[in-house]
């Protein structure tokens, strides 16, 4: 195939030039197009096809938080698509000396084709997008993790096929991963049940947006404090760390508060016989998940991690193309 004439041009161009700050900005049809393109990316990659629709494009990546899967998936993805990625941190930018986000956004807009940012405050990403004239992609904030959710959907689609009507159970902290997972489930017609300890529920305003999307697809989103009840007849069970980056000082308290919320063999047996286990990684065996589950036959966590590459390639092609 001639890399200058990619088949992805057949996909709807509605995301071209747009930001990806959270998945509620997109429509179910746009999410479906992203997943279809991600599957095509993966198939071509496995066949060793050279596919370079982003030849000459540059992505600036700002990291205020440590990163393994986000950095590698975007950096490798840009290279495979013929583009280039610049990995930067605040201390190596004038941001670290007090230059405003607004000025940084406008400078970047004249130098590169897109910005990926992984940071703490979601408002900082929104401000960057407000002032940038190029697409801004949220690589993780305290409120949202849309790139992870796209890989989650891709993995579930590979393992389960049609996602409509599937029961997806999340056990653990009502954090950024759950927020984006709720939006992802709403877009694809899944029934999400979130089981969190009291005081660790997801943010109500974000769930409200997801429920508005759910009205279009027949999805449902419910919350409970009972993980065993939530897991009954689950098609997939998902968890995340109990203490995210920046919450290390709360680790001891959280371990006490999350007692009874570990995804172990007893909880897994509540799901369907072919229940799938997901985790965005890194994982702490013996805390949020038992070793028997994450390293057992139900786990697809490394397929999920690999799919970060292909989901992110699809996103890059759609917003930078």
């Amino acid at each position: 195939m001639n890399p200058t004439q990619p088949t992805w041009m057949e996909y709807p161009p509605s995301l071209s030039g747009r930001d990806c700050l959270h998945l509620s900005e997109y429509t179910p049809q746009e999410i479906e197009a992203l997943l279809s393109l991600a599957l095509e990316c993966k198939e071509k990659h496995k066949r060793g096809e050279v596919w370079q629709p982003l030849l000459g494009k540059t992505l600036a990546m700002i990291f205020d938080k440590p990163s393994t899967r986000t950095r590698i998936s975007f950096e490798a993805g840009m290279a495979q698509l013929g583009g280039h990625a610049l990995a930067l941190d605040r201390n190596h930018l004038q941001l670290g000396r007090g230059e405003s986000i607004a000025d940084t956004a406008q400078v970047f807009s004249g130098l590169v084709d897109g910005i990926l940012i992984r940071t703490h405050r979601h408002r900082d990403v929104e401000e960057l997008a407000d002032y940038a004239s190029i697409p801004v992609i949220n690589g993780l904030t305290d409120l949202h993790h849309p790139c992870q959710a796209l890989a989650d959907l891709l993995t579930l689609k590979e393992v389960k096929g049609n996602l409509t009507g599937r029961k997806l159970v999340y056990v653990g902290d009502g954090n950024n991963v759950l927020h984006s997972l709720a939006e992802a489930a709403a877009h694809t017609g899944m029934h999400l049940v979130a089981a969190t300890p009291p005081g660790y529920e997801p943010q109500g305003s974000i769930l409200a947006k997801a429920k508005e999307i759910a009205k279009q697809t027949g999805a449902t989103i419910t919350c409970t404090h009972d993980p065993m009840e939530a897991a009954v007849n689950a098609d997939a069970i998902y968890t995340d760390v109990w203490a995210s980056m920046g919450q290390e000082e709360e680790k001891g308290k959280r371990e006490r508060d999350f007692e009874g919320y570990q995804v172990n063999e007893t909880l897994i047996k509540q799901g369907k016989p072919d229940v799938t286990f997901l985790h965005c990684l890194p994982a702490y065996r013996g805390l949020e998940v038992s070793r028997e589950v994450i390293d057992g036959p139900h786990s697809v966590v490394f397929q999920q991690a690999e799919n970060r590459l292909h989901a992110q390639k699809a996103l890059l092609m759609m917003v930078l193309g």
Side-chain angles (χ1 to χ4, degrees):
M1 178 186 298
N2 184 338
T4 62
Q5 296 178 337
T7 58
W8 73 275
M9 292 297 288
E10 300 169 4
Y11 289 90
S14 56
L15 297 184
S16 180
R18 285 171 54 189
D19 302 319
C20 179
L21 306 189
H22 46 81
L23 295 185
S24 63
E25 297 177 313
Y26 292 172
T27 67
Q29 293 74 27
E30 288 166 343
I31 296 295
E32 182 180 356
L34 274 167
L35 294 178
S36 296
L37 181 55
L39 286 169
E40 186 176 359
C41 285
K42 189 169 184 178
E43 290 168 3
K44 290 181 181 297
H45 183 73
K46 295 298 183 184
R47 292 197 299 264
E49 291 188 28
V50 176
W51 204 27
Q52 297 185 327
L54 297 186
L55 195 64
K57 299 280 188 178
T58 301
L59 178 73
M61 306 189 301
I62 304 172
F63 290 98
D64 288 336
K65 286 188 172 186
S67 176
T68 297
R69 283 150 291 275
T70 299
R71 175 170 178 174
I72 293 173
S73 60
F74 275 99
E75 192 162 345
M78 281 297 290
Q80 291 173 18
L81 295 172
H84 182 66
L86 300 169
L88 309 163
D89 66 61
R90 190 177 291 262
N91 292 332
H92 290 91
L93 296 170
Q94 296 297 341
L95 274 170
R97 298 179 60 244
E99 184 171 37
S100 69
I101 292 175
D103 286 356
T104 299
Q106 292 176 83
V107 169
F108 274 35
S109 296
L111 298 174
V112 297
D113 301 287
I115 305 170
L116 168 77
I117 180 167
R118 181 180 174 94
T119 190
H120 300 271
R121 294 198 322 149
H122 190 74
R123 179 58 199 143
D124 288 348
V125 179
E126 292 176 327
E127 185 177 357
L128 188 68
D130 286 343
Y131 286 94
S133 59
I134 55 177
V136 173
I137 298 172
N138 174 8
L140 177 144
T141 64
D142 53 0
L143 289 183
H144 294 278
H145 200 354
C147 296
Q148 177 65 54
L150 290 173
D152 300 339
L153 288 179
L154 178 60
T155 305
L156 286 169
K157 193 172 184 65
E158 287 180 324
V159 175
K160 300 297 185 184
N162 184 30
L163 299 182
T164 302
R166 298 286 184 181
K167 182 178 181 181
L168 172 61
V169 174
Y170 177 94
V171 178
D173 188 20
N175 59 13
N176 50 3
V177 170
L178 175 54
H179 290 158
S180 290
L181 200 64
E183 294 172 342
H187 278 300
T188 52
M190 287 192 286
H191 303 301
L192 175 72
V193 182
T196 65
Y200 293 92
E201 296 86 356
Q203 191 172 112
S205 60
I206 294 175
L207 289 191
K209 290 182 180 179
K211 288 178 180 180
E212 283 298 312
I213 299 168
K215 293 177 182 178
Q216 305 174 49
T217 64
T220 59
I221 299 169
T222 56
C223 297
T224 179
H225 297 309
D226 188 339
M228 294 298 288
E229 180 184 349
V232 172
N233 292 324
D235 290 291
I237 298 176
Y238 196 127
T239 193
D240 189 14
V241 296
W242 291 342
S244 298
M245 286 178 286
Q247 298 171 334
E248 290 79 7
E249 293 182 359
E250 304 174 24
K251 185 173 182 291
K253 181 181 185 302
R254 283 174 172 262
E255 287 182 15
R256 294 189 296 273
D257 292 347
F258 281 79
E259 185 176 354
Y261 286 81
Q262 184 187 80
V263 179
N264 50 35
E265 289 184 299
T266 301
L267 190 139
I268 282 287
K269 287 177 181 177
Q270 293 287 96
K272 293 179 179 177
D274 64 344
V275 64
T276 297
F277 173 72
L278 301 119
H279 193 305
C280 56
L281 302 180
Y284 297 94
R285 291 162 173 81
L287 290 179
E288 75 272 9
V289 61
S290 69
R291 186 176 297 276
E292 291 77 15
V293 169
I294 195 170
D295 297 322
H298 297 284
S299 177
V300 294
V301 298
F302 297 112
Q303 178 180 348
Q304 186 184 0
E306 178 187 349
N307 279 339
R308 289 293 302 276
L309 172 65
H310 308 295
Q312 266 65 112
K313 285 167 70 174
L315 179 63
L316 287 166
M317 291 166 67
M318 293 287 268
V319 302
L320 299 185

